[in-house]
Amino acid sequence: MFSKITNRNYLMLTNRLINSNLIAIVSITLWLTSLCLTGFSLHGYYQAQQLIGGASILVMGWLGPLEGNFAWYANPFYIYAVLSVLNGNVPFRTTSIALFLSLDTLLF
């Protein structure tokens, strides 16, 4: 009887790890796809529309604090959190920091 409970718990843990790994892989795939898309567009009254791509934002985003925008710094925490999930850990603090830093995007 005890071995059945242990095997069942092992199977539940294995399913949870597979599901979390799948979610992490889908998440990183969507993040990488977003780098190929337009991040935002700038419209000026006297100038034409300017499109800024996601890869450009990733490369130049570290300069955000010069304008008071810290949202870019969520990216390293996000990548660390995804790698932690793929290693079987639960990165609660890292994910929380990434979430709060990314909320700064709404102020931009």
Side-chain angles (χ1 to χ4, degrees), residues 9 18 24 29-30 34 39 100-101 103:
N9 289 341
I18 290 172
T29 303
L30 291 173
S34 75
F100 289 123
L101 284 172
L103 289 175

Side-chain angles (χ1 to χ4, degrees):
M1 180 89 175
F2 183 75
S3 64
K4 289 182 181 180
I5 293 173
T6 304
N7 288 338
R8 187 172 136 205
N9 289 341
Y10 176 76
L11 290 175
M12 289 173 56
L13 179 63
T14 304
N15 280 342
R16 188 179 138 252
L17 288 176
I18 290 172
N19 290 337
S20 62
N21 285 346
L22 179 63
I23 290 170
I25 290 170
V26 168
S27 175
I28 200 76
T29 303
L30 291 173
W31 182 75
L32 289 172
T33 303
S34 75
L35 296 178
C36 301
L37 303 174
T38 301
F40 60 87
S41 63
L42 299 174
H43 298 279
Y45 187 72
Y46 292 109
Q47 52 181 281
Q49 178 181 6
Q50 184 181 11
L51 301 176
I52 312 279
S56 298
I57 296 170
L58 183 65
V59 170
M60 299 300 292
W62 64 274
L63 293 170
L66 297 176
E67 296 179 350
N69 188 354
F70 296 93
W72 181 86
Y73 290 100
N75 289 318
F77 288 103
Y78 166 73
I79 292 170
Y80 180 77
V82 168
L83 292 176
S84 295
V85 168
L86 291 174
N87 287 329
N89 300 325
V90 180
F92 181 74
R93 279 190 216 144
T94 308
T95 307
S96 300
I97 292 170
L99 173 68
F100 289 123
L101 284 172
S102 66
L103 289 175
D104 191 39
T105 302
L106 301 174
L107 300 175
F108 182 65

